[in-house]
Amino acid sequence: MTERCLFVFFIGLLVFNWPLLDIFQGEIVAYIYGVWLLFIATLAIALHRSNRSVKADGAVSGDSRP
Amino acid sequence: MIAPVTLFIIVMLYVLLLFGVAYFAEVREASGRSLVNNPYVYSLSLAVYCTSWTFYGSVGRAATSGLMFLPIYLGPTIMLALWPVVLKKVVKIAKANRITTISDFISFRYGKSLALSVLVTVVAVIGITPYLGLQIKAILSTIIIFTGKGELASNAGVAVTILLGLFIIMFGIRRLDLSERHGGIVFAIALESLVKLVAFLLVGIFVTWHLFDGLGDILSRTKISGNSYLMNLLGTSVTTSYSEWFAMTFLSMLAIVFLPRQFHMAVVENNDESHIDKAAWLFPLYLLLINIFVLPIAFGGLLLTQGGQNPDYFVLTLPLDHGSGSLAIFAFIGGFSAATGMLIVEVLAISTMVMNSIVMPVIYKFHGVRGFSTIVLNIKRLVVIVIVFLGYLFSITVGAYESLAALGLKSFEAVALFAPPLIIGLYWKRCNKYGAFAGLCAGFLIWLYASFVPPLINVGVIDKDSFIGIMAASHFFNPTALFGVWGMGKTLHTIFWSMLAELIFFFGVSLATRQSKEEEMQSLLFVESYEVAPVSGHSVSYVIEDIENILGRYMGADEVQKVIEGFLGRKNKDRSELFSSDLIELRTEAEKMLAGSIGPSLSSIVFEDRFVLTEADKVEIAESIERVTESLRLSRQELSDANQELERSNRELQQFAYVASHDLQEPLRKVVAFGDRLKTNYADVLDERGVDYLERMQNAALRMRHLIEALLAYSRVSTTAGTMAEVSLAEVVHLVLSDLDHTINECGAEVVVGELPQIKADRLQIGQLLQNLISNAIKYRKPDGQVKVAVSSFQQPGSSFVEIQVKDNGIGFDEKYLDRIFAPFQRLHSRQEYSGTGIGLAICKKIVERHGGTITARSAPDEGALFLVTLPLWR
């Protein structure tokens, strides 16, 4: 989970700052709101997958039944 | 305009609703049916971040600086990606030690330093007061807009301030045990968050689709207007101030954690750590939603009013001026919610900080402990009122000259200074209280100088000819361009210099000075999540009644009784049966309990004053810390070395087993072959006993060959493993059944195969696994009756693993032998009963483990057996 969270965090820093904002200067409003929504979705998926694999790891290392 | 009485009734009704909701939530919580113990209410309560600055100020900021209102929301969005990692650690430590404020948390990290706790509180009070003022200013301004009567503002301001103070007193500080969560307040704040979101969205829809024909219409009218100011707002402002954009993003990333109200809601009011994972994306979604209509309202307002109104209040004035009074009232309630929500939580958090760090240590020093709990409760009520009124005073004095956004940013800059001692303190053991104190002092002084000197000179509070005035006018100490460095934006300038100074002092002083033993202990707790056990072995000089008395002075008798009885219950002992080690444990627990009421610094002082440690105890604590520190350092290195050694010896062992079993086959073959020749050519010259010996030798050699073959097969699982790929289990089972066709037909077995999924596996090994399981099911059949074998699969929704089930109606086994059946060469039956070497299930286990799965079985004698194999699915 730590690696995934760090990855999403750094992606956030990148996409919401210069120079990417400069690249999309022409459509800056659409870019920011679109990427914002995308970022939230990515974060939700990353956390969901991390939690799922944590649970699965628990199943593998714990009792025999998943 | 609306009559003042009508507005007053509306406000009163809404406040009554809040009281009712908070009361209802508390009743539900008391009955064990909590309304707040879920991630949705937790996420909504975090939206206390969105204050009147968001509700009114964002539109104002958008109307004057274009997209520059956004970094305040993008920063938290980015930061929340780290919450599942960082905040969970903070919550864990805070819960375990009953920490209730950010000042207590920082002080607790640095050896429960009271001086540091006081400094953090002073920074918070001075830093947050402008923010409190901002909220009250917004409420007063909206009342004036609605009633058109400016003279009412001061009376209304006092009334609102008193009402909020009462609400906080009623639901925030009824008892002294502050580590108790405030379910009522949390639920009321969550409701307020919902109200302000809905109100803002409705105003956005009204402006976009009622006053205009949609977003396209606003954009095209902006272009048609030829207003270059408006066009500039749509983009270039970002390009001209990337440094400010970054500075504000960075500030808000820190604010979402370090603002006292955010710390309170996210850490103290957290019911369950798992809620953090959901809030990490639900809360950014809230931020996105509340910002969707900021630009349409700002641009719509500028087009309609031609700059004739304060854009900070477009959310209110646009519906009001265009005939939608009811929407305007709802918007007023939304703005009121945004302001009051922040005020309630912030005042509660700051008053707790003031009490724990300043008031209670002073009372303790000068008043002793007589009637402490009653005095403390009353003083805390007073502190709440004082802080709320401090905000009110700021709003009608300095706040009158500043915009909403400017006031809010000052607070953000101040609380950002908490980041280095807290965040670095979570991951670096060496930092100490001297470094934290020096760093915070340096950063705070620069923040104070850069933030407040220019406005105070402007309003005449500081004379231009005074020392500070002359210093500010100099090239080197210019508060807007310190050290002669020009070109940084206002926000970046303050945060850059204050944090740089803080970091230099923090690291420099930490490296130049030593930690106390208490600090070393706390650093282990924070960095390694390792709690040094209390000293034991010595007799203690206190009894249970002493601990009871101390707690009784600060907490109610009933609560003390609960604590003591709870402890005795857990220990399953009577008062008279407690050993010294139990008393030490109870003392530690009581100290933590008291920390929830009076803060960890004072709690530590109170107990140390009463129970002075002996020299022997102190030496033992010091040695214990040194031992733990050293062993932690060593154990990491040792663990790594041992792991490498284990991997190496495991590889060697596997190689040895493979080579040994392979090379043993050749001499064994010769033993068998020459035994055959001996029997064929010389049987007539041997007597009966000689032939018997020869046959026994040959049988033993054959058995040995089987064992070696089994060992070879076992070691091949790891030495000749194939690659993992997508494998259709159905296809594999089909192939296995065709291989076993002869055996199945011979005993008339019925094999039923259910639906099987695709998995990620080594095809050959999975085939071997299933072949072993199915052939075992056939082999261990009952002497009478038809053999029935069923192969099926089961998958839990959302799981990335599948459970493969192989069920038979054979002789079964006693589950107490479960471990034994999967061990190499272990058998539950004699060779005479069932042939075999006892390696089959051991191979199965090894294959399953190589695939990252598990294998087990359920069975009873004569009841058949069910083998359960868990394997990863192909995704």
Side-chain angles (χ1 to χ4, degrees):
Chain A
M1 183 182 272
T2 305
E3 284 90 354
R4 277 187 182 152
C5 288
L6 274 172
F7 177 75
V8 178
F9 172 76
F10 284 114
I11 287 288
L13 276 184
L14 182 75
V15 296
F16 292 123
N17 275 296
W18 183 88
L20 279 185
L21 291 184
D22 211 24
I23 295 169
F24 294 95
Q25 190 58 235
E27 296 294 333
I28 189 78
V29 178
Y31 169 79
I32 290 180
Y33 279 92
V35 170
W36 197 348
L37 190 61
L38 211 62
F39 180 81
I40 293 167
T42 309
L43 185 56
I45 292 167
L47 289 172
H48 181 68
R49 287 174 73 98
S50 298
N51 283 330
R52 209 172 52 184
S53 45
V54 166
K55 280 177 193 162
D57 285 351
V60 169
S61 60
D63 203 343
S64 53
R65 292 186 76 89
Chain B
M1 297 297 161
I2 291 174
V5 180
T6 315
L7 195 66
F8 179 73
I9 291 170
I10 290 168
V11 169
M12 283 306 292
L13 284 176
Y14 184 67
V15 173
L16 276 177
L17 176 74
L18 286 185
F19 273 74
V21 161
Y23 179 73
F24 176 64
E26 291 213 335
V27 170
R28 286 279 299 233
E29 194 152 32
S31 65
R33 292 174 299 151
S34 173
L35 289 169
V36 298
N37 191 9
N38 66 72
Y40 305 101
V41 171
Y42 179 64
S43 305
L44 278 174
S45 71
L46 293 174
V48 70
Y49 178 75
C50 299
T51 63
S52 59
W53 177 7
T54 301
F55 199 83
Y56 300 120
S58 283
V59 174
R61 184 94 171 161
T64 53
S65 316
L67 296 173
M68 288 305 284
F69 71 96
L70 278 172
I72 298 303
Y73 309 99
L74 293 176
T77 302
I78 299 167
M79 190 63 180
L80 261 87
L82 285 185
W83 268 30
V85 181
V86 179
L87 195 76
K88 275 186 182 174
K89 189 172 185 181
V90 174
V91 169
K92 221 181 268 291
I93 295 169
K95 275 186 184 172
N97 298 285
R98 302 176 78 85
I99 293 170
T100 52
T101 65
I102 193 164
S103 58
D104 284 346
F105 193 89
I106 293 175
S107 122
F108 192 71
R109 163 63 182 84
Y110 296 96
K112 303 175 188 171
S113 161
L114 187 58
L116 195 54
S117 178
V118 171
L119 181 61
V120 172
T121 303
V122 169
V123 174
V125 171
I126 296 176
I128 298 298
T129 305
Y131 211 172
L132 297 176
L134 185 156
Q135 309 309 315
I136 296 173
K137 178 186 170 182
I139 294 173
L140 299 185
S141 302
T142 50
I143 288 174
I144 293 170
I145 288 169
F146 256 94
T147 59
K149 294 181 178 173
E151 68 275 12
L152 276 176
S154 62
N155 291 337
V158 173
V160 167
T161 308
I162 292 174
L163 267 177
L164 289 174
L166 283 177
F167 185 85
I168 299 162
I169 288 168
M170 268 192 76
F171 293 99
I173 46 170
R174 274 182 305 174
R175 290 188 304 172
L176 201 55
D177 182 7
L178 297 168
S179 49
E180 286 285 327
R181 285 182 282 271
H182 310 95
I185 285 187
V186 172
F187 197 64
I189 297 300
L191 178 76
E192 288 200 306
S193 295
L194 208 58
V195 168
K196 67 192 173 200
L197 177 64
V198 173
F200 198 89
L201 289 176
L202 285 179
V203 173
I205 290 166
F206 173 79
V207 173
T208 312
W209 283 284
H210 184 72
L211 301 184
F212 292 88
D213 287 332
L215 294 170
D217 184 37
I218 295 176
L219 192 66
S220 60
R221 284 211 224 174
T222 305
K223 285 176 182 166
I224 291 166
S225 73
N227 188 331
S228 59
Y229 170 73
L230 287 179
M231 290 312 294
N232 280 341
L233 289 179
L234 268 179
T236 50
S237 55
V238 175
T239 58
T240 53
S241 52
Y242 275 129
S243 63
E244 278 295 275
W245 178 280
F246 179 77
M248 285 166 64
T249 307
F250 178 69
L251 270 184
S252 54
M253 281 166 65
L254 301 180
I256 197 64
V257 185
F258 300 110
L259 278 169
R261 70 174 186 281
Q262 294 306 136
F263 186 89
H264 184 88
M265 277 303 181
V267 178
V268 182
E269 301 289 358
N270 176 276
N271 277 291
D272 187 334
E273 279 173 39
S274 67
H275 295 170
I276 293 171
D277 293 338
K278 202 152 253 180
W281 63 270
L282 273 176
F283 177 53
L285 192 62
Y286 182 98
L287 294 179
L288 174 64
L289 287 174
I290 207 163
N291 278 289
I292 277 185
F293 287 111
V294 170
L295 284 174
I297 296 172
F299 280 76
L302 286 173
L303 285 168
L304 292 171
T305 63
Q306 298 297 317
Q309 282 181 4
N310 181 356
D312 267 350
Y313 299 103
F314 277 166
V315 176
L316 218 54
T317 52
L318 290 180
L320 202 60
D321 294 346
H322 292 85
S324 186
S326 51
L327 181 61
I329 289 172
F330 191 46
F332 171 79
I333 293 293
F336 186 76
S337 293
T340 52
M342 179 275 182
L343 277 167
I344 290 166
V345 186
E346 201 79 90
V347 170
L348 181 66
I350 291 186
S351 61
T352 310
M353 287 165 82
V354 171
M355 287 301 293
N356 287 3
S357 308
I358 300 170
V359 178
M360 288 204 270
V362 171
I363 295 174
Y364 182 74
K365 190 168 174 59
F366 295 107
H367 190 269
V369 288
R370 281 162 284 140
F372 200 95
S373 57
T374 324
I375 290 173
V376 167
L377 270 180
N378 287 331
I379 291 179
K380 182 148 193 214
R381 286 168 187 144
L382 191 66
V383 168
V384 164
I385 298 293
V386 168
I387 292 173
V388 181
F389 269 95
L390 211 59
Y392 172 67
L393 282 178
F394 190 90
S395 72
I396 58 173
T397 53
V398 185
Y401 301 98
E402 297 272 358
S403 74
L404 295 180
L407 288 172
L409 272 176
K410 283 193 190 350
S411 299
F412 275 34
E413 289 162 6
V415 298
L417 297 172
F418 299 151
L422 200 152
I423 297 283
I424 299 171
L426 282 176
Y427 298 97
W428 188 43
K429 273 189 280 184
R430 179 79 191 274
C431 53
N432 63 31
K433 63 182 170 194
Y434 305 112
F437 194 87
L440 201 51
C441 273
F444 179 57
L445 287 175
I446 289 184
W447 171 78
L448 211 56
Y449 183 71
S451 297
F452 285 95
V453 169
L456 289 178
I457 289 177
N458 286 343
V459 296
V461 174
I462 295 176
D463 190 1
K464 283 182 180 170
D465 295 327
S466 67
F467 174 71
I468 296 178
I470 293 167
M471 199 166 86
S474 71
H475 174 72
F476 204 67
F477 293 111
N478 185 331
T480 55
L482 279 170
F483 312 112
V485 179
W486 291 88
M488 280 194 263
K490 205 172 162 187
T491 317
L492 181 66
H493 172 264
T494 312
I495 195 68
F496 175 79
W497 287 117
S498 58
M499 284 205 104
L500 182 69
E502 184 179 16
L503 288 171
I504 289 172
F505 277 88
F506 179 72
F507 283 110
V509 177
S510 288
L511 291 171
T513 52
R514 286 180 66 85
Q515 284 180 320
S516 65
K517 291 298 170 195
E518 177 82 11
E519 275 186 274
E520 279 184 35
M521 201 154 72
Q522 296 303 93
S523 68
L524 281 177
L525 172 67
F526 275 66
V527 181
E528 307 280 0
S529 301
Y530 187 94
E531 190 159 12
V532 177
V535 287
S536 57
H538 291 285
S539 61
V540 292
S541 57
Y542 48 87
V543 290
I544 189 167
E545 283 74 21
D546 291 330
I547 297 172
E548 218 169 358
N549 284 341
I550 287 196
L551 283 179
R553 284 167 189 160
Y554 303 93
M555 301 163 73
D558 290 346
E559 290 187 354
V560 175
Q561 210 52 38
K562 264 189 218 165
V563 174
I564 301 290
E565 278 171 12
F567 180 81
L568 293 173
R570 278 200 310 282
K571 289 277 161 193
N572 203 17
K573 284 182 180 175
D574 197 47
R575 282 168 174 263
S576 56
E577 295 169 343
L578 293 179
F579 297 123
S580 295
S581 57
D582 296 324
L583 285 170
I584 292 169
E585 205 179 320
L586 178 60
R587 185 208 132 138
T588 311
E589 202 171 292
E591 193 178 318
K592 280 182 190 175
M593 177 69 65
L594 201 55
S597 299
I598 62 174
S601 313
L602 186 58
S603 172
S604 175
I605 291 170
V606 165
F607 273 89
E608 272 171 25
D609 275 2
R610 177 63 187 82
F611 306 139
V612 180
L613 292 174
T614 64
E615 276 309 307
D617 286 343
K618 284 179 184 167
V619 168
E620 193 178 329
I621 287 177
E623 284 174 355
S624 157
I625 292 164
E626 272 161 22
R627 273 200 306 274
V628 168
T629 313
E630 183 62 13
S631 69
L632 276 173
R633 191 180 63 74
L634 282 176
S635 60
R636 267 201 218 99
Q637 186 58 42
E638 283 165 4
L639 205 61
S640 167
D641 292 348
N643 197 31
Q644 281 179 5
E645 182 61 24
L646 202 63
E647 280 177 6
R648 192 184 58 76
S649 74
N650 200 26
R651 276 198 305 273
E652 282 178 3
L653 200 65
Q654 282 176 355
Q655 200 60 29
F656 170 77
Y658 182 77
V659 171
S661 49
H662 186 267
D663 292 355
L664 279 174
Q665 278 191 321
E666 187 50 33
L668 195 61
R669 256 197 299 274
K670 283 186 178 159
V671 172
V672 174
F674 283 110
D676 280 344
R677 280 189 200 178
L678 201 63
K679 197 174 171 185
T680 313
N681 301 333
Y682 302 96
D684 46 350
V685 296
L686 292 171
D687 61 7
E688 198 176 323
R689 185 180 285 184
V691 173
D692 180 45
Y693 286 165
L694 189 61
E695 279 177 353
R696 284 197 199 187
M697 185 192 79
Q698 279 192 303
N699 285 340
L702 272 175
R703 213 165 53 248
M704 191 172 169
R705 192 163 76 185
H706 287 146
L707 286 172
I708 288 172
E709 279 169 0
L711 189 63
L712 201 57
Y714 185 71
S715 63
R716 270 191 194 125
V717 174
S718 17
T719 51
T720 59
T723 51
M724 299 285 179
E726 183 181 6
V727 172
S728 163
L729 267 182
E731 280 176 24
V732 174
V733 171
H734 180 71
L735 285 175
V736 167
L737 291 181
S738 81
D739 285 351
L740 294 173
D741 194 35
H742 177 68
T743 320
I744 292 170
N745 289 336
E746 199 176 53
C747 63
E750 183 192 342
V751 183
V752 180
V753 182
E755 202 173 317
L756 296 169
Q758 307 282 105
I759 61 165
K760 185 182 179 183
D762 177 337
R763 175 180 278 271
L764 283 176
Q765 290 193 348
I766 287 300
Q768 192 179 359
L769 167 79
L770 288 165
Q771 183 158 347
N772 286 1
L773 291 177
I774 296 171
S775 58
N776 264 7
I778 296 171
K779 184 161 84 175
Y780 294 103
R781 61 183 179 268
K782 286 178 186 167
D784 47 355
Q786 195 197 4
V787 183
K788 285 185 180 173
V789 183
V791 183
S792 58
S793 67
F794 169 74
Q795 191 193 342
Q796 275 190 346
S799 170
S800 54
F801 282 75
V802 63
E803 186 181 79
I804 302 154
Q805 304 176 341
V806 180
K807 192 174 190 307
D808 64 59
N809 62 343
I811 58 169
F813 61 91
D814 193 328
E815 279 190 15
K816 69 181 176 187
Y817 300 118
L818 195 56
D819 288 341
R820 207 169 137 189
I821 62 169
F822 292 109
F825 306 117
Q826 294 291 323
R827 294 165 52 85
L828 301 182
H829 307 276
S830 68
R831 281 195 305 278
Q832 285 72 32
E833 288 176 283
Y834 295 96
S835 63
T837 56
I839 199 74
L841 285 178
I843 290 175
C844 289
K845 186 165 189 272
K846 202 167 182 189
I847 289 172
V848 170
E849 282 174 354
R850 198 190 144 233
H851 284 75
T854 59
I855 182 167
T856 188
R858 303 275 149 85
S859 182
D862 291 328
E863 300 273 321
L866 170 66
F867 281 85
L868 303 161
V869 179
T870 310
L871 289 170
L873 281 166
W874 175 260
R875 286 275 165 90

